[in-house]
C-alpha cells in the first residue's frame, strides 16, 4: 500500500507543487484584495505610476520566469529518463555537466526563481 502511494506521489508531484502554488496565490488574492501588488509598491519607490509599474513589473517577471523555465528544461535534458523515473537510488555517476556545473540542483533553483516571481506578482 505504501509503495503504491509513493509511486502515485512520485509520478504526480508536479501537480501537487502546482496545486500548492495555486492555493497560496488564491489565498493571497482573497485575503489581501485591497493591498497593492509588490511591483506597484516598488514602482512607486522608483518614481513610476501604478500602471507603468504594473506593465514593467509583469514584463520583467515574465522574463525572469522564462529564464527559469529554460534553466529547468536544460537541467532536465542532462538527466536521462531511466535515472529520473527510477525509484531506486542511482549510483553510476554524479551529474556534473550542463547547469549541474554551477549548482547541485538546477531544477529546484529554477522552481525557487519562479516561485519568487509569483510572490512579486
Amino acid at each position: 500500500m505504501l509503495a503504491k502511494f509513493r509511486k502515485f506521489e512520485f509520478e504526480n508531484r508536479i501537480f501537487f507543487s502546482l496545486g500548492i502554488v495555486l492555493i497560496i496565490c488564491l489565498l493571497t488574492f482573497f485575503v489581501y484584495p485591497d493591498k497593492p501588488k509588490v511591483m506597484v509598491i516598488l514602482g512607486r519607490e522608483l518614481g513610476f505610476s501604478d500602471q507603468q509599474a504594473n506593465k514593467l513589473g509583469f514584463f520583467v517577471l515574465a522574463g525572469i520566469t522564462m529564464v527559469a523555465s529554460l534553466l529547468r528544461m536544460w537541467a532536465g535534458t542532462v538527466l536521462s529518463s531511466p535515472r529520473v523515473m527510477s525509484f531506486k537510488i542511482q549510483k553510476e555517476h554524479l551529474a556534473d555537466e550542463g547547469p549541474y556545473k554551477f549548482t547541485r540542483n538546477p531544477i529546484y533553483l529554477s522552481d525557487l526563481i519562479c516561485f519568487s516571481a509569483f510572490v512579486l506578482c
Side-chain angles (χ1 to χ4, degrees), residues 95-111:
D96 61 356
E97 55 196 39
Y100 292 92
K101 289 179 188 175
F102 309 107
T103 179
R104 185 66 257 136
N105 199 325
I107 294 174
Y108 284 171
L109 177 62
S110 63
D111 287 347

Side-chain angles (χ1 to χ4, degrees), residues 22-32:
L22 288 174
I23 289 169
I24 291 171
C25 288
L26 288 173
L27 283 175
T28 303
F29 180 75
F30 288 114
V31 172
Y32 302 105

Side-chain angles (χ1 to χ4, degrees), residues 63-103:
I64 289 171
T65 304
M66 184 178 68
V67 168
S69 296
L70 291 172
L71 172 63
R72 194 173 211 292
M73 288 187 290
W74 183 28
T77 61
V78 171
L79 302 176
S80 64
S81 289
R83 179 181 302 166
V84 175
M85 295 306 291
S86 175
F87 290 100
K88 64 180 183 165
I89 296 174
Q90 302 290 323
K91 297 181 183 179
E92 69 268 7
H93 72 280
L94 184 65
D96 61 356
E97 55 196 39
Y100 292 92
K101 289 179 188 175
F102 309 107
T103 179

Side-chain angles (χ1 to χ4, degrees), residues 9 12-24 72 108 111 115 118:
E9 188 274 332
N12 295 293
R13 66 178 52 185
I14 189 69
F15 299 110
F16 291 122
S17 299
L18 180 61
I20 290 168
V21 170
L22 288 174
I23 289 169
I24 291 171
R72 194 173 211 292
Y108 284 171
D111 287 347
F115 292 154
F118 286 137

Side-chain angles (χ1 to χ4, degrees), residues 30-51:
F30 288 114
V31 172
Y32 302 105
D34 299 329
K35 302 290 183 195
K37 297 181 192 93
V38 173
M39 48 191 172
V40 169
I41 295 170
L42 290 173
R44 288 177 185 166
E45 292 295 320
L46 296 172
F48 294 109
S49 70
D50 290 358
Q51 187 176 16

